[in-house]
C-alpha cells in the first residue's frame, strides 16, 4: 500500500482525545498559517495511534475538479481526499455525537445530492447550491480542508452558527461536528470517464467510484459571509438544545448502522487486464469509425475493425490471412462508399468471409442492424452457430429467424445492435414489420447468399419483393448479394443499382471427369469434343459384383475412402439408400476397423435421439463409415450425421442434390450417379453447385468430380459441361398468387404505395420491371398492374377509392393510361389485411374462409380431428399421394364422431373403399380435400401416439416428411390464428368464441412447436 493511500486514514480516537475547546477552534490557524513543524508533529501523533488499527482498504483516487468562484467571497482550498473501504466491524463513531439535519454537513450532503442529480448542468448547479448553502448556514466563516500527512484537518476561524426554521442554536464544543467529519462523508466530485460501450464519444461520461485513473487536486470553494441574528432567551435555548440532542442521538444511531453495513459490503473486484482489453477494443472501434466516416485510405487495424476481430477468426475459424481477391473486394471504392455490391466466385472461394467482415463493420462501427438472408433452415442454424461466439465477444445480438423462430417486429434495442439471420420467407416478414413500424432505416446492411435463387419459383418471387421494398423505402440500407452461379448479372445490377465484382479464384484446384463404361475422360474445353481420355478403371469385378454395381461405384469410392471423404449424388432419395446399402455389401471388412469406437458412438447417439429406434439401413452402413443423407431423415439425424462426416468418422455420403445448396460439407471426390435430378436432366447451375463441393481448403491439394453417364446421354452431357450458366428471370408474374398479387396487397397494406401511379412506379423498379421487355411480349407492365389490382378488388381483398391529383395526371400522360383507371386509389379490406398479416397464400385464402365457415356450421368437438383438419397446410396437401389401402384402413378405425368429420368435409368411406380396390368412381370429389384429410389422419395419429417412428411405419412415410408436415402444421396454425384475429368478422369471431373456451383440452393441438428448433419428434401442447 503506497504512502498516498495511508495519508488519508483518519482515526476517530485521535480526534476524540484531542478535541479542542470552542475557543481553540475559533483561534485555530488556517492551513496557510500552519508551520511545517506543527504539521509534522500532528502527523506523528496521529500515526502512532493509527498504526495498530490498520484495515484492508481499496484505492479510489479523486478526480481533478476546476475551481469555481463566487463574487464577493473569499476563496479557500478543499483538497478532496481519496477514500478507502473499511471492512472492519469496529465502531467508527465511538461516543461521538452525530449531527442534526440542520447542521453544516447535512447541508453539504444536500449539495452533493443536487450535484449528482444534474450531471449535465454541473457547473450551474454547483454554483447556486454552494451559494445557497453558504448564505444559510455560515457567518464570517472561512473553512479550510487540507490533506497533510495521514489526516485531514478541518479548521474554523470563527463561531459557526446554524439557522433553523425559527431560531438559532449555538453549537457547544462537545457537539462540534465540523472538526471530526468522517472521511467517507466529505463531499467530493469526479469527472466522468468515457465508457467503452459508447464507441468513443468524448462527450459521454460516467461516474465510476472504483476508477484508478483519477488525480488528487485541491479545489477552492468560496463562502459568502451572511449575518445571522442571535437569540438570548435561555429557556427557549435549553428546550431547543434538548430537542437537537435527541435528534442527534437518533441520527447518530442511523449513521452508525449505515456505515457499518457499508463497511461489511465487499467491493467488487475488477480484472485490470479485462479493463485494459475493453479500453483497447473501444479505442480501436473509435479509430475504425472515424476512418469510415472520413473515407481515408487508412482502414484501421483490420479492415476498419478492431484487431480483436482478427484474433477471433484465428481462434475460432483458423483464418490467419485473407485471400488476395478478398482483400481486393473489401478495399473497392464502391464498398468504401457503401454502394450496393454483387460479387460472384466459384463454390468454396471464400465469399462468406467478405460478407461477414462487412456485417461486422456495420454492427460495430456504424452501429446499425444487419439482415442476412440464407436459402435453407439448416444453413441458418449453421451460421447462427458460427457467429454466436463473435456476438458474445464483440457485443451484438445474433437472432434466428427460421422455422418457428423470430419475433415480429424485432425487439428495439438502444445499445447493442442485432444481426438477424433469416430464411427467405422470414426475412420478408421481418422487412415488412420494420416498414410497418417505421424502423426500416435502422437496417444498415442486407446480405443475400445464393442470390441466383431470385429466379427460382415462389421463393425467388419472395426474395425479389423483399429487396424491392428495401430499395424503395430506405435509401441508407446497403445491399450485398453473392452467388457462385450467376450469368445475366447486368439485369441484377440494374435492379439492385449495384457494382459487380467477380473472380475465378478457387483455393483448391478442381478437376472434372466424365465416366463412360470403364473409361474416364477429363473435361477439356480446348479439346475437339470437350474431353480427353484419362485412364481405365483398374478394379477386379466378379460377374456377381458387376450385376450389383454396373457403374463401378465401389471402384471409384475405394480410391478415396476411408482416408479421404467422398460424396455420391443420386437422383432420388430411395436411390441414396439403395446405393449406400449396395456399397457396404461389397466393401471389405477392413473398413469396419477404421475409427470403430467413434462409429459405435454415432449409432448410440442416433438411438438416443430417436427413443431407441434406428434405421436398419444406417445400422448396416455406419460401421463401414457410410451413410445416406436426404430429406427423409429427421433434422436431428441429419445434424448428427453431418457432424460425424465433418469429424472424419463417416467418410462417404450418398445424397440428393439438396446437399449441394445446403450446409458446407466438402469432399475430396464428388461423384454424380447420373446426370438427372429425379426425372429431369441436370441443369448447368445444379451441376456447378454439386461439383463445387469437391476440394477442401486447407486439407486437400486438389478436388475431383466424376459424372457417370450412359452412351445415350453423352451428347447432352457434352452440351451441359460447355454451355454457360442459365439466366435467372423474375418470378413475380409466373408465381401469380405468391408473386405480384401478394406484393400489391402488402404494398397497400403497408402504405408503401396506395394509388395506381405509385404502384406502377414501384413495379418499374423491380427485377420484373427491368426484364419486362423479355418477359412481357404480349402485355405491358401497366396492363398487368391494372389487371392484378382488379383481381384483388374482385376477391374483396382491396377496395377502390377515387382521387385525382396534378401529379397523377402528369404520370398518366407519361404512361398513357386512361384517366378513369388512373384516378383510383386503394385501401386494404379486413379480409385483405387478415390474409396479408396472417401470411396466407392468396391461392388458398378463399378456401380457408370457406372451410372456417363450413366448420362453424357443424364443428365436431368430440375429437380433435376437425380442428386438426382446419389447420393442415393446403400446399402440402397438393403434393401428397395417399396410399389408398392405408387410407381405407385408417378410415375404418375412426369413431362415429370422427367419421362424421370426414362426411362434413366431403369425403365418404365409400369413395375411399373404391379407390383402395381400384374401382372406377363416377362422383367427382375434390382431390385437395381428400389429400388434406389424409394428412390430417397422419397428424391426428401423431398426436395420439407421440412417436414419429411408429407413425412413419404406420403410414409408410419417411420420418423426415412427417417432421416437415409437423413443422408446416405449426406454421399454418399460427397463420390461421392471425387470420382469425385480424379478420374481425362476426363469422370468425363466433368461431373463436367456440374454440377459445376449450383451453387446455381441445385447442392445444392448434400449435405444434419444436422447442429445440431442429424438429420435434412429438407434438408440444400450448394453451391459448
Amino acid at each position: 500500500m503506497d504512502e498516498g493511500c495511508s495519508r488519508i486514514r483518519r482515526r476517530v480516537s485521535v480526534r476524540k482525545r484531542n478535541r479542542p475547546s470552542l475557543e481553540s477552534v475559533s483561534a485555530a490557524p488556517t492551513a496557510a498559517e500552519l508551520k511545517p513543524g506543527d504539521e509534522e508533529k500532528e502527523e506523528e501523533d496521529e500515526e502512532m495511534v493509527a498504526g495498530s488499527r490498520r484495515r484492508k482498504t481499496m484505492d479510489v483516487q479523486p478526480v481533478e475538479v476546476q475551481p469555481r468562484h463566487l463574487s464577493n467571497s473569499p476563496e479557500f482550498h478543499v483538497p478532496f481526499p481519496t477514500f478507502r473501504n473499511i471492512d472492519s466491524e469496529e465502531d467508527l463513531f465511538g461516543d461521538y455525537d452525530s449531527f442534526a439535519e440542520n447542521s453544516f454537513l447535512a447541508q453539504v450532503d444536500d449539495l452533493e445530492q443536487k450535484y449528482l442529480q444534474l450531471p449535465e448542468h454541473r457547473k450551474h448547479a454547483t454554483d447556486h447550491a454552494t451559494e445557497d448553502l453558504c448564505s444559510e448556514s455560515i457567518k464570517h466563516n472561512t473553512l479550510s480542508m487540507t490533506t497533510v500527512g495521514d489526516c485531514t484537518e478541518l479548521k474554523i476561524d470563527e463561531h459557526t452558527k446554524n439557522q433553523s426554521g425559527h431560531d438559532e442554536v449555538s453549537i457547544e464544543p462537545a457537539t462540534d461536528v465540523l472538526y471530526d467529519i468522517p472521511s467517507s462523508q466529505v463531499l467530493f466530485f469526479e469527472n466522468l470517464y468515457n465508457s467503452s460501450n459508447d464507441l468513443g464519444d468524448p462527450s459521454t461520461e460516467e461516474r465510476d467510484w472504483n476508477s484508478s485513473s483519477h488525480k488528487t487536486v485541491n479545489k477552492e470553494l468560496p463562502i459568502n459571509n451572511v449575518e445571522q441574528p442571535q437569540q438570548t432567551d435561555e429557556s427557549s435555548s435549553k428546550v431547543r438544545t434538548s430537542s437537537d440532542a435527541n435528534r442527534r442521538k437518533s441520527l447518530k444511531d442511523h449513521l452508525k448502522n449505515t456505515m457499518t453495513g457499508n463497511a461489511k459490503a465487499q467491493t467488487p473486484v475488477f480484472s485490470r487486464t479485462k479493463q485494459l482489453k475493453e479500453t483497447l477494443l473501444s479505442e480501436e472501434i473509435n479509430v475504425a469509425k472515424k476512418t469510415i466516416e472520413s473515407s481515408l485510405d487508412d482502414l484501421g487495424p483490420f479492415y476498419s475493425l478492431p484487431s480483436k476481430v482478427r484474433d477471433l477468426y484465428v481462434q475460432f475459424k483458423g483464418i490467419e490471412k485473407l485471400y488476395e481477391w478478398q482483400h481486393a473486394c473489401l478495399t473497392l471504392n464502391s464498398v468504401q462508399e457503401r454502394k450496393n455490391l454483387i460479387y460472384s466466385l466459384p463454390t468454396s472461394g471464400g465469399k462468406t468471409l467478405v460478407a461477414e467482415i462487412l456485417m461486422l463493420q456495420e454492427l460495430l462501427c456504424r452501429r446499425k442492424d444487419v439482415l442476412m438472408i440464407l436459402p435453407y433452415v439448416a444453413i441458418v442454424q449453421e451460421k447462427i452457430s458460427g457467429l454466436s461466439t463473435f456476438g458474445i465477444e464483440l457485443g451484438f445480438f445474433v437472432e434466428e429467424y427460421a422455422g418457428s423462430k423470430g419475433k415480429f417486429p424485432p425487439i428495439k434495442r438502444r445499445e447493442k445492435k442485432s444481426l438477424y439471420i433469416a430464411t427467405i420467407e422470414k426475412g420478408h416478414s421481418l422487412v415488412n414489420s420494420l416498414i410497418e413500424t417505421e424502423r426500416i432505416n435502422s437496417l444498415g446492411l442486407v446480405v443475400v447468399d445464393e442470390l441466383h435463387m431470385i429466379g427460382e419459383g415462389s421463393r425467388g418471387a419472395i426474395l425479389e419483393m423483399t429487396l424491392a421494398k428495401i430499395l424503395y423505402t430506405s435509401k441508407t440500407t446497403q445491399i450485398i448479394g453473392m452467388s457462385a452461379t450467376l450469368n445475366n448479372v447486368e439485369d441484377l445490377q440494374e435492379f439492385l443499382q449495384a457494382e459487380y465484382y467477380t473472380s475465378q479464384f478457387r483455393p483448391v484446384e478442381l478437376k472434372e471427369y466424365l465416366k463412360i463404361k470403364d473409361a474416364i475422360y477429363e473435361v477439356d474445353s480446348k479439346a475437339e469434343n470437350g474431353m480427353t481420355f484419362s485412364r481405365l478403371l483398374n478394379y477386379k469385378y466378379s460377374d456377381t459384383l458387376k450385376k450389383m454395381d454396373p457403374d463401378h461405384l465401389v471402384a471409384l469410392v475405394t480410391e478415396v475412402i476411408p482416408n479421404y471423404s467422398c460424396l455420391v449424388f443420386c437422383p432420388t432419395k430411395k436411390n441414396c439408400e439403395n446405393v449406400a446399402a449396395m456399397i457396404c455389401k461389397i466393401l471389405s471388412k477392413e473398413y469396419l476397423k477404421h475409427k470403430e469406437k467413434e462409429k459405435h458412438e454415432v449409432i448410440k447417439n442416433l438411438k438416443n435421439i430417436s427413443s431407441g429406434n434406428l434405421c436398419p439401413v444406417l445400422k448396416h452402413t455406419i460401421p463401414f463409415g457410410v451413410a445416406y443423407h436426404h430429406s427423409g431423415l429427421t433434422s436431428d439425424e441429419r445434424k448428427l450425421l453431418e457432424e460425424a462426416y465433418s469429424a472424419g468418422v463417416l467418410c462417404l455420403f450418398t445424397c440428393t442434390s439438396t446437399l449441394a445448396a445446403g450446409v458446407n460439407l466438402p469432399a475430396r471426390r464428388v461423384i454424380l450417379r447420373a446426370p438427372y435430378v429425379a426425372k429431369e436432366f441436370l441443369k448447368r447451375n445444379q451441376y456447378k453447385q454439386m461439383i463445387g463441393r469437391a476440394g477442401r481448403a486447407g486439407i486437400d491439394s486438389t478436388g475431383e468430380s466424376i459424372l457417370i453417364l450412359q452412351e445415350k446421354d453423352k451428347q447432352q452431357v457434352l452440351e451441359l459441361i460447355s454451355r454457360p450458366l442459365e439466366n435467372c428471370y423474375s418470378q413475380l408474374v409466373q408465381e401469380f398468387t405468391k408473386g405480384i398479387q401478394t406484393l400489391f396487397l402488402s404494398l397497400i397494406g403497408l402504405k408503401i404505395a396506395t394509388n395506381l401511379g405509385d404502384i406502377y412506379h414501384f413495379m418499374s423498379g423491380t427485377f420484373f420491371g427491368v426484364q419486362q421487355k423479355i418477359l412481357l411480349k404480349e402485355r405491358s407492365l401497366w396492363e398487368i398492374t391494372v389487371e392484378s389490382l382488379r383481381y384483388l378488388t374482385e376477391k374483396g381483398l382491396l377496395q377502390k377509392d377515387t382521387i385525382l391529383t396534378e401529379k397523377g395526371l402528369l404520370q398518366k400522360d407519361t404512361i398513357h393510361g386512361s384517366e378513369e383507371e388512373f384516378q383510383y386509389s386503394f385501401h386494404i379490406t379486413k379480409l385483405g389485411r387478415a390474409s396479408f398479416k396472417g401470411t396466407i397464400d392468396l391461392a388458398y385464402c378463399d378456401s380457408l374462409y370457406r372451410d372456417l365457415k363450413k366448420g362453424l356450421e357443424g364443428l365436431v368437438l368430440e375429437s380433435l380431428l376437425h380442428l386438426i383438419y382446419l389447420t393442415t397446410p393446403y400446399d402440402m396437401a397438393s403434393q401428397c399421394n395417399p396410399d389408398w389401402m392405408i387410407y381405407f384402413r385408417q378410415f375404418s378405425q375412426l369413431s362415429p364422431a370422427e367419421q362424421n368429420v370426414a362426411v362434413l368435409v366431403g369425403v365418404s368411406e365409400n369413395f375411399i373403399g373404391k379407390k383402395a380396390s381400384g374401382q372406377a368412381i363416377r362422383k367427382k370429389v375434390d382431390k385437395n380435400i381428400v389429400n388434406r384429410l389424409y394428412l390430417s389422419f397422419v397428424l391426428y395419429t401423431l398426436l395420439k401416439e407421440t412417436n414419429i417412428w411408429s407413425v412413419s411405419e404406420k403410414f409408410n412415410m419417411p420420418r423426415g416428411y412427417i417432421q416437415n408436415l409437423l413443422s408446416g402444421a405449426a406454421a399454418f396454425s399460427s397463420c390461421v390464428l392471425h387470420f382469425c384475429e385480424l379478420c374481425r368478422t362476426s363469422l370468425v369471431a363466433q368461431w373463436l368464441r367456440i374454440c377459445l373456451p376449450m383451453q387446455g383440452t381441445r385447442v392445444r393441438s392448434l400449435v405444434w412447436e419444436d422447442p429445440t428448433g431442429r424438429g420435434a419428434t412429438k407434438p408440444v401442447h400450448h394453451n391459448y
Side-chain angles (χ1 to χ4, degrees):
M1 196 171 296
D2 57 64
E3 179 183 357
C5 295
S6 63
R7 288 166 63 91
I8 64 169
R9 290 199 186 90
R10 309 185 53 204
R11 300 292 173 233
V12 173
S13 57
V14 179
R15 294 284 184 252
K16 185 174 179 180
R17 276 192 294 273
N18 298 324
R19 180 183 296 142
S21 63
L22 183 61
E23 290 77 13
S24 63
V25 172
S26 302
T30 63
E33 296 170 347
L34 286 175
K35 297 180 181 179
D38 297 334
E39 295 176 359
E40 294 173 2
K41 183 178 180 180
E42 184 171 340
E43 289 175 17
E44 292 173 0
D45 294 339
E46 183 174 348
E47 187 65 21
M48 290 174 63
V49 178
S52 61
R53 300 173 60 191
R54 301 295 186 188
R55 296 175 176 85
K56 297 179 182 179
T57 58
M58 180 177 180
D59 295 338
V60 179
Q61 298 179 3
V63 68
E64 182 178 283
V65 181
Q66 298 299 326
R68 313 213 186 270
H69 301 279
L70 292 176
S71 58
N72 302 322
S73 302
E75 298 179 353
F76 69 100
H77 295 274
V78 182
F80 293 100
T82 59
F83 295 106
R84 296 178 178 270
N85 262 341
I86 302 176
D87 55 6
S88 171
E89 298 183 19
E90 183 181 352
D91 190 351
L92 305 179
F93 299 94
D95 295 330
Y96 269 30
D97 288 335
S98 191
F99 44 89
E101 62 185 19
N102 61 345
S103 68
F104 171 79
L105 192 59
Q107 297 183 56
V108 171
D109 185 69
D110 291 341
L111 172 59
E112 179 183 9
Q113 295 302 321
K114 292 181 182 179
Y115 180 81
L116 293 177
Q117 291 172 6
L118 298 172
E120 69 275 18
H121 303 295
R122 197 167 289 174
K123 178 175 180 179
H124 178 78
T126 304
D127 291 345
H128 286 278
T130 306
E131 203 170 337
D132 294 340
L133 172 65
C134 297
S135 62
E136 291 180 2
S137 60
I138 302 172
K139 177 183 178 183
H140 301 295
N141 178 37
T142 303
L143 174 63
S144 178
M145 299 171 62
T146 308
T147 303
V148 182
D150 290 303
C151 66
T152 301
E153 300 184 23
L154 288 86
K155 307 206 174 180
I156 304 176
D157 291 341
E158 296 187 12
H159 294 292
T160 303
K161 299 179 178 61
N162 294 335
Q163 181 180 356
S164 64
H166 302 284
D167 299 293
E168 175 189 276
V169 178
S170 301
I171 297 180
E172 300 296 331
T175 62
D176 180 14
V177 297
L178 295 178
Y179 187 82
D180 291 303
I181 302 174
S183 61
S184 60
Q185 296 294 320
V186 177
L187 178 64
F188 70 93
F189 307 93
E190 68 173 14
N191 289 334
L192 301 176
Y193 67 92
N194 294 335
S195 171
S196 61
N197 293 333
D198 194 5
L199 296 180
D201 184 357
S203 64
T204 306
E205 298 177 333
E206 290 181 4
R207 182 174 300 277
D208 186 357
W209 303 102
N210 296 315
S211 174
S212 59
S213 60
H214 306 313
K215 299 178 181 179
T216 305
V217 297
N218 288 338
K219 178 183 176 185
E220 297 180 354
L221 281 177
I223 299 180
N224 288 338
N225 296 324
V226 181
E227 295 290 341
Q228 297 181 3
Q230 293 189 5
Q231 178 58 257
T232 58
D233 190 336
E234 295 182 0
S235 62
S236 61
S237 177
K238 290 179 180 180
V239 173
R240 284 189 296 273
T241 303
S242 175
S243 176
D244 288 344
N246 293 333
R247 190 183 300 114
R248 292 190 188 95
K249 183 178 181 180
S250 175
L251 190 54
K252 165 189 173 182
D253 295 339
H254 175 71
L255 282 174
K256 287 171 66 177
N257 292 336
T258 302
M259 291 300 296
T260 303
N262 291 342
K264 291 180 180 180
Q266 294 183 355
T267 303
V269 180
F270 295 96
S271 170
R272 179 66 176 169
T273 304
K274 184 176 180 181
Q275 289 180 347
L276 290 174
K277 287 183 177 179
E278 291 179 351
T279 303
L280 179 61
L281 175 62
S282 177
E283 291 176 355
E284 291 184 343
I285 290 177
N286 294 339
V287 173
K289 183 178 179 181
K290 293 177 180 178
T291 301
I292 290 178
E293 291 175 351
S294 60
S295 299
L296 297 176
D297 295 334
D298 183 8
L299 297 181
F302 182 69
Y303 297 98
S304 302
L305 290 168
S307 57
K308 184 176 182 179
V309 176
R310 178 180 54 216
D311 298 338
L312 291 175
Y313 272 109
V314 174
Q315 178 182 352
F316 295 121
K317 298 191 176 184
I319 299 174
E320 298 182 356
K321 185 179 180 182
L322 271 64
Y323 298 131
E324 290 184 6
W325 83 263
Q326 292 171 331
H327 173 77
C329 186
L330 288 169
T331 54
L332 289 173
N333 289 334
S334 56
V335 173
Q336 301 303 312
E337 295 169 3
R338 297 192 75 251
K339 293 181 180 179
N340 295 343
L341 176 69
I342 301 171
Y343 62 99
S344 176
L345 283 97
T347 304
S348 302
K351 298 184 296 295
T352 305
L353 179 59
V354 171
E356 289 179 3
I357 291 175
L358 294 174
M359 290 190 297
L360 292 175
Q361 287 179 358
E362 200 70 30
L363 288 163
L364 301 179
C365 302
R366 300 185 183 96
R367 306 292 293 166
K368 291 276 191 175
D369 295 329
V370 174
L371 169 62
M372 187 178 196
I373 299 177
L374 301 171
Y376 302 110
V377 175
I379 306 179
V380 169
Q381 293 173 345
E382 182 185 35
K383 188 59 64 178
I384 288 284
S385 176
L387 290 178
S388 292
T389 51
F390 284 78
I392 294 171
E393 294 290 336
L394 299 173
F396 61 86
F397 292 96
V398 181
E399 302 185 34
E400 179 179 351
Y401 280 78
S404 60
K405 303 288 184 66
K407 182 178 178 59
F408 303 99
I411 298 174
K412 188 174 183 179
R413 308 184 191 277
R414 292 184 177 180
E415 295 297 330
K416 294 185 178 180
K417 298 304 175 182
S418 294
L419 169 59
Y420 310 114
I421 303 181
T423 56
I424 293 174
E425 294 79 7
K426 288 285 187 176
H428 183 228
S429 299
L430 179 65
V431 169
N432 282 343
S433 67
L434 291 174
I435 293 174
E436 186 175 26
T437 55
E438 299 181 350
R439 290 167 51 192
I440 188 63
N441 288 325
S442 67
L443 203 60
L445 175 65
V446 175
V447 174
V448 181
D449 195 8
E450 309 296 349
L451 183 60
H452 63 272
M453 292 195 70
I454 199 172
E456 298 183 9
S458 60
R459 306 191 79 212
I462 295 172
L463 180 57
E464 180 180 347
M465 287 188 285
T466 304
L467 297 176
K469 289 175 183 176
I470 293 171
L471 289 168
Y472 192 85
T473 58
S474 176
K475 303 303 180 184
T476 60
T477 303
Q478 184 183 17
I479 297 176
I480 303 290
M482 53 182 172
S483 175
T485 55
L486 284 178
N487 189 31
N488 55 332
V489 183
E490 296 80 8
D491 291 345
L492 286 169
Q493 279 186 265
E494 185 177 350
F495 165 48
L496 296 177
Q497 305 162 29
E499 301 290 329
Y500 179 59
Y501 178 86
T502 185
S503 173
Q504 296 303 314
F505 171 81
R506 207 175 188 280
V508 177
E509 182 186 2
L510 174 62
K511 295 181 179 180
E512 301 178 40
Y513 296 95
L514 303 176
K515 177 187 171 297
I516 305 174
K517 296 182 179 180
D518 291 341
I520 295 180
Y521 300 86
E522 184 174 358
V523 175
D524 185 1
S525 59
K526 298 178 181 178
E528 184 177 352
N529 58 355
M531 61 182 185
T532 56
F533 176 79
S534 177
R535 63 187 173 94
L536 288 173
L537 278 177
N538 184 21
Y539 190 88
K540 296 180 180 180
Y541 270 93
S542 65
D543 293 338
T544 305
L545 292 180
K546 284 182 180 180
K547 292 180 181 179
M548 293 177 61
D549 183 20
D551 295 326
H552 308 94
L553 274 174
V554 174
L556 294 174
V557 301
T558 51
E559 293 177 347
V560 178
I561 65 171
N563 296 323
Y564 298 98
S565 56
C566 181
L567 295 175
V568 178
F569 285 100
C570 303
T572 64
K573 292 191 286 288
K574 190 62 178 176
N575 190 237
C576 290
E577 300 178 28
N578 293 338
V579 168
M582 180 270 294
I583 290 174
C584 291
K585 287 180 181 178
I586 302 176
L587 286 178
S588 167
K589 301 296 182 182
E590 293 295 322
Y591 288 91
L592 295 172
K593 299 178 182 179
H594 182 73
K595 296 189 176 182
E596 186 176 1
K597 292 182 179 179
E598 291 87 343
K599 293 172 185 174
H600 286 307
E601 190 68 23
V602 172
I603 293 176
K604 179 182 176 181
N605 292 336
L606 285 172
K607 288 182 178 180
N608 290 338
I609 64 172
S610 303
S611 303
N613 297 286
L614 181 63
C615 172
V617 177
L618 292 176
K619 183 178 180 180
H620 173 62
T621 61
I622 288 178
F624 288 91
V626 179
Y628 65 86
H629 185 287
H630 58 63
S631 60
L633 295 167
T634 65
S635 57
D636 284 337
E637 288 176 317
R638 286 199 301 271
K639 183 179 180 182
L640 270 176
L641 293 176
E642 288 164 3
E643 290 174 350
Y645 178 86
S646 299
V649 177
L650 299 179
C651 53
L652 174 63
F653 264 173
T654 58
C655 51
T656 55
S657 60
T658 54
L659 183 72
V663 293
N664 185 26
L665 294 175
R668 174 67 174 266
R669 177 176 289 181
V670 169
I671 301 172
L672 279 67
R673 174 78 173 74
Y676 292 91
V677 174
K679 296 180 180 181
E680 295 183 1
F681 196 81
L682 203 62
K683 295 180 180 179
R684 175 68 174 173
N685 288 348
Q686 294 172 326
Y687 173 71
K688 295 293 287 184
Q689 286 276 6
M690 292 180 188
I691 68 172
R693 295 296 179 189
R696 298 169 296 175
I699 301 176
D700 300 327
S701 57
T702 59
E704 301 172 341
S705 70
I706 301 175
L707 172 58
I708 301 173
L709 66 145
Q710 308 301 321
E711 278 290 343
K712 64 183 181 67
D713 297 322
K714 181 177 178 180
Q715 190 58 40
Q716 280 184 287
V717 169
L718 292 176
E719 293 176 1
L720 169 71
I721 61 176
S722 60
R723 66 170 174 251
L725 296 167
E726 290 85 4
N727 292 335
C728 58
Y729 296 104
S730 172
Q731 301 295 308
L732 275 183
V733 175
Q734 281 75 5
E735 298 291 330
F736 199 57
T737 57
K738 288 188 176 180
I740 195 169
Q741 289 186 4
T742 300
L743 173 61
F744 287 175
L745 194 64
S746 64
L747 288 180
I748 296 168
L750 295 171
K751 298 181 180 179
I752 296 174
T754 56
N755 63 67
L756 191 54
D758 289 342
I759 294 172
Y760 176 82
H761 177 66
F762 182 95
M763 283 298 297
S764 301
T766 62
F767 190 40
F768 177 76
V770 172
Q771 296 181 327
Q772 58 176 311
K773 294 181 180 179
I774 303 173
L775 301 176
L776 299 176
K777 296 180 179 179
E778 299 178 356
R779 295 178 296 173
S780 67
L781 179 60
W782 172 262
E783 291 173 337
I784 288 184
T785 303
V786 172
E787 179 184 335
S788 300
L789 291 170
R790 185 182 296 117
Y791 178 81
L792 292 172
T793 304
E794 290 172 356
K795 290 190 69 173
L797 302 173
L798 294 179
Q799 188 171 345
K800 290 188 291 187
D801 297 324
T802 303
I803 63 167
L804 186 62
T805 63
E806 182 178 351
K807 176 183 177 183
L809 287 174
L810 292 174
Q811 289 179 325
K812 174 187 71 65
D813 295 337
T814 303
I815 59 182
H816 307 293
S818 68
E819 182 174 338
E820 182 180 356
E821 289 175 334
F822 206 91
Q823 291 181 47
Y824 289 133
S825 177
F826 298 86
H827 71 266
I828 195 167
T829 63
K830 290 182 179 179
L831 180 61
R833 182 169 295 278
S835 301
F836 158 58
K837 298 284 284 186
T839 62
I840 302 294
D841 188 343
L842 298 185
Y844 307 123
C845 67
D846 289 341
S847 300
L848 175 61
Y849 194 80
R850 285 195 305 268
D851 287 343
L852 292 176
K853 181 179 179 181
K854 194 173 183 179
L856 186 61
E857 294 172 355
L859 188 63
V860 178
L861 303 178
E862 296 180 36
S863 75
L864 298 171
L865 181 59
H866 201 175
L867 290 176
I868 291 175
Y869 172 80
L870 291 173
T871 55
T872 300
Y874 288 94
D875 55 347
M876 297 194 72
S878 62
Q879 304 167 5
C880 176
N881 294 312
D883 185 317
W884 296 106
M885 286 302 299
I886 295 175
Y887 203 159
F888 182 73
R889 190 183 306 121
Q890 293 296 320
F891 200 103
S892 302
Q893 295 174 0
L894 296 177
S895 67
E898 292 166 347
Q899 289 188 2
N900 187 34
V901 173
V903 174
L904 284 173
V905 300
V907 181
S908 65
E909 184 177 6
N910 182 43
F911 172 83
I912 302 299
K914 287 184 177 181
K915 291 290 290 185
S917 60
Q919 299 180 28
I921 301 174
R922 296 179 181 178
K923 185 179 179 181
K924 187 177 181 181
V925 179
D926 191 334
K927 179 183 176 181
N928 289 329
I929 293 178
V930 176
N931 293 353
R932 194 167 178 230
L933 182 63
Y934 184 68
L935 294 182
S936 301
F937 286 176
V938 177
L939 292 171
Y940 188 49
T941 306
L942 184 60
L943 176 67
K944 292 187 294 184
E945 299 193 10
T946 67
N947 189 317
I948 202 170
W949 283 82
S950 62
V951 176
S952 172
E953 183 178 353
K954 183 173 291 186
F955 285 88
N956 193 26
M957 284 182 170
R959 54 198 178 277
Y961 178 83
I962 294 177
Q963 190 180 59
N964 291 335
L965 175 62
L966 188 67
S967 301
F972 189 66
S973 299
S974 178
C975 294
V976 171
L977 288 174
H978 283 296
F979 181 87
C980 296
E981 291 169 355
L982 295 167
C983 199
R984 296 181 181 177
T985 63
S986 58
L987 170 67
V988 180
Q990 292 176 38
W991 189 84
L992 285 173
R993 280 196 294 271
I994 292 174
C995 293
L996 289 179
M998 301 183 296
Q999 296 179 18
T1001 56
R1002 310 271 184 179
V1003 185
R1004 63 185 183 179
S1005 65
L1006 277 175
V1007 176
W1008 309 62
E1009 183 182 352
D1010 169 21
T1012 66
R1014 297 192 299 269
T1017 56
K1018 61 182 181 179
V1020 180
H1021 303 309
H1022 291 270
N1023 295 332
Y1024 282 88

